Amino acid sequence: MVVRAARLACACALLSCAGPAPRAAEVPRVPLAGPGGQSLDARALAAGAPLTVLTFFSPDCDCLVAHEARLRALAGEYGPRGVRFFMIDSEVGGSLERDAIEAARRGYRSPILLDRGARLADALGARFAAFTVVVDSTGRVRYRGGIDDDRMHLRDDARPYLRDALDDLLGGREPRVAETEALGCALQKW
Amino acid sequence: MPSPRSTFRSAAALVLALAAWGCPSRAWAQACCAGGSAVTPARLEMHEDALVGAQLRASSALGSYDTGGRFVASPPGDTEVDFEEDIFGAMRFLRRGQAALLVPLVETRRRTPQDGAHLGGGLGDVNLSARYDFVAAGESRYLPGVALLVGATLPTGTPADSATAPLAVDATGIGAWQLQAGLALEQTYGRWLVNATGIVAKRTARFGETLGTQGTFLVAGAYSFEGGGALALSGSYAFEGDATTGSGADVPASSKRVTAVTVSGLWPLADAWRVLGALSLDPPIDSLGSNQPTAGALSFTMIRSWW
């Protein structure tokens, strides 16, 4: 009991002192689980399209809920141009069942992919729901951060970070802003 | 005889402030957004780096607990209404820490059949506090948020012993430095948030005696709604031992305790603006307090934040 408490205290202290999470420049080769338990490799997922948008998911996050309509609009607009959109569930409470229910309830066009052990989230430095990365077909991360600069109350004049990044990348340019703040809820990863 | 100003008043304010400040951080934050804010008026939410706010509070005395813990209603014709306007601000330091300042203005109106009505007030006891979150609520499914709290309340108000106005209506503080330390545990369960906080306060000597060590416990539950609103119910229990004289002898029958229940709600006007309202009551029930005045209070708070 004492040893367990000491370990927990050490873990807390280490966590408290830890610096910013590591952020891979490329999507790692980690497994993701899709509907029906289908296993997908994250890198291979990115290879299937010129650009892939990965948005981290949490079911109770109002910040993400607020942005769902904007994400759907982006998917509708950029999907025909070859951009694919996926939600990633990296939370410790995530399951295929939960993700299937949530995807259906929210009307997502793409499945929520399960990131067991939060390996993808940890590699990409994802700590908040609504954190989004744009990956090119080689697996290189081209944009990471928020969907826009709104948190929960959407404004018409919000800065559309993700849209701008997609426009730039599809136009053959580097994103005008390659990294922003994601204003979402904490992902419960452990 | 008017009731003396509660020595728990500043402690209660401190508990509310310290218990609340701390969850948000760019790096670490609670799973959902507004529950903690509803528990207290002055809470940095997720991603916020700073905030300023103002709280208006009005309370009406209901009576008092005697030293045996029996509730005694205010005598007919005796009334007391207290007002408080707090200006506060909070800023983040380091990754997991934050510091806050609270400046209260206090007014009291007392009326007795013998002395008539009198109104007075002024600057209350200013509070500085800091919080460091080792683990934030919702960050782990298995481990609650754990935060260390420290604070200091400065004797910037006028203590009752120095009050000059009739019925001591110009008393606005306790006249001693207070140093506080505490521990807060907090966890989220979906849209629910549960908070338990304990704080111990030591006070310096004033007017030849030292107030007893004070302990305060706060337990709260909050529910966050889609859209960012939240409702919270909290209960606090504060107690302090006998005061001691300069020679170290106990001052008989000077220990005190009080219980309070608060219902509060939060409504975000925009991402950067939110309003809060709270209704609190020291239940006028025997044995829930001793040697303390009791009151019912209403407060309204507006906050502007930055991230």
Side-chain angles (χ1 to χ4, degrees):
Chain A
M1 183 66 184
V2 174
V3 173
R4 182 181 292 180
R7 281 180 180 160
L8 201 56
C10 288
C12 293
L14 287 171
L15 187 73
S16 173
C17 297
R23 300 176 308 167
E26 295 185 345
V27 171
R29 293 192 180 281
V30 296
L32 300 172
Q38 170 194 10
S39 182
L40 304 162
D41 177 83
R43 177 72 70 87
L45 190 72
L51 294 173
T52 301
V53 177
L54 306 175
T55 299
F56 286 83
F57 173 81
S58 180
D60 294 315
C61 181
D62 289 335
C63 303
L64 179 61
V65 170
H67 282 87
E68 283 175 344
R70 283 185 176 171
L71 273 176
R72 274 195 293 270
L74 287 169
E77 188 175 341
Y78 289 90
R81 300 169 68 180
V83 181
R84 299 202 302 178
F85 289 75
F86 294 98
M87 288 282 184
I88 307 294
D89 184 356
S90 302
E91 294 201 312
V92 68
S95 68
L96 291 171
E97 293 74 23
R98 175 176 102 168
D99 293 344
I101 291 169
E102 292 293 342
R105 185 169 73 86
R106 294 156 190 264
Y108 289 169
R109 294 181 182 178
S110 300
I112 302 172
L113 304 179
L114 184 61
D115 173 28
R116 288 194 176 96
R119 293 172 63 186
L120 182 62
D122 288 343
L124 296 175
R127 293 190 294 248
F128 302 113
F131 177 81
T132 296
V133 296
V134 179
V135 184
D136 66 20
S137 59
T138 69
R140 185 177 158 213
V141 175
R142 308 297 297 272
Y143 169 80
R144 73 178 87 218
I147 296 164
D148 50 46
D149 68 340
D150 281 334
R151 185 165 58 170
M152 200 181 318
H153 296 84
L154 305 187
R155 300 162 299 158
D156 291 337
D157 60 347
R159 282 183 277 183
Y161 296 136
L162 178 57
R163 174 183 291 277
D164 286 347
L166 293 174
D167 284 341
D168 290 340
L169 290 166
L170 289 172
R173 303 178 298 274
E174 287 297 315
R176 66 198 83 173
V177 181
E179 187 169 339
T180 62
E181 195 80 37
L183 304 176
C185 314
L187 292 173
Q188 198 169 67
K189 295 192 286 185
W190 57 285
Chain B
M1 182 68 185
S3 302
R5 183 171 174 77
S6 170
T7 61
F8 291 117
R9 184 67 193 92
S10 59
L14 179 72
V15 166
L16 292 181
L18 287 174
W21 289 334
C23 281
S25 162
R26 286 187 188 283
W28 305 101
Q30 63 191 80
C32 200
C33 306
S37 298
V39 177
T40 83
R43 175 165 198 156
L44 278 169
E45 287 189 351
M46 193 172 302
H47 303 292
E48 290 173 343
D49 290 325
L51 65 76
V52 294
Q55 181 183 79
L56 306 177
R57 184 177 190 275
S59 66
S60 177
L62 304 173
S64 61
Y65 297 109
D66 63 20
T67 54
R70 191 170 61 93
F71 173 74
V72 181
S74 299
D78 281 13
T79 60
E80 175 178 334
V81 181
D82 297 295
F83 300 97
E84 187 166 322
E85 304 84 41
D86 296 337
I87 304 295
F88 53 83
M91 285 193 72
R92 188 170 311 287
F93 66 92
L94 302 176
R95 281 179 65 224
R96 290 170 172 269
Q98 51 190 288
L101 170 70
L102 183 143
V103 180
L105 295 173
V106 178
E107 300 87 35
T108 300
R109 182 186 185 279
R110 288 194 176 108
R111 183 184 185 286
T112 67
Q114 301 80 21
D115 299 302
H118 298 276
L119 175 69
L123 177 67
D125 288 343
V126 171
N127 175 256
L128 292 163
S129 62
R131 172 172 178 141
Y132 193 85
D133 283 85
F134 294 96
V135 180
E139 189 179 336
S140 167
R141 189 180 193 186
Y142 306 106
L143 191 66
V146 180
L148 178 67
L149 320 169
V150 293
T153 303
L154 288 59
T156 48
T158 302
D161 305 69
S162 301
T164 56
L167 301 178
V169 291
D170 54 340
T172 60
I174 71 163
W177 286 79
Q178 301 180 80
L179 300 176
Q180 299 97 358
L183 189 70
L185 303 177
E186 192 171 60
Q187 183 59 302
T188 55
Y189 302 93
R191 294 189 167 277
W192 289 93
L193 177 140
V194 179
N195 177 297
T197 301
I199 291 180
V200 175
K202 294 284 287 184
R203 281 80 73 83
T204 58
R206 31 80 107 178
F207 305 106
E209 70 174 34
T210 303
L211 293 170
T213 299
Q214 190 177 86
T216 306
F217 295 107
L218 171 78
V219 177
Y223 183 84
S224 298
F225 299 93
E226 274 193 29
L231 276 177
L233 175 66
S234 61
S236 68
Y237 178 73
F239 61 94
E240 67 180 56
D242 281 337
T244 53
T245 64
S247 61
D250 285 350
V251 177
S254 59
S255 66
K256 54 195 74 170
R257 57 194 169 87
V258 67
T259 304
V261 178
T262 301
V263 178
S264 52
L266 173 149
W267 186 252
L269 301 175
D271 278 350
W273 289 92
R274 57 185 177 271
V275 294
L276 302 95
L279 184 63
S280 64
L281 178 70
D282 307 330
I285 299 170
D286 289 352
S287 79
L288 289 182
S290 71
N291 202 17
Q292 273 290 288
T294 65
L298 190 64
S299 68
F300 175 80
T301 306
M302 178 162 278
I303 290 172
R304 167 73 161 97
S305 65
W306 292 267
W307 59 87

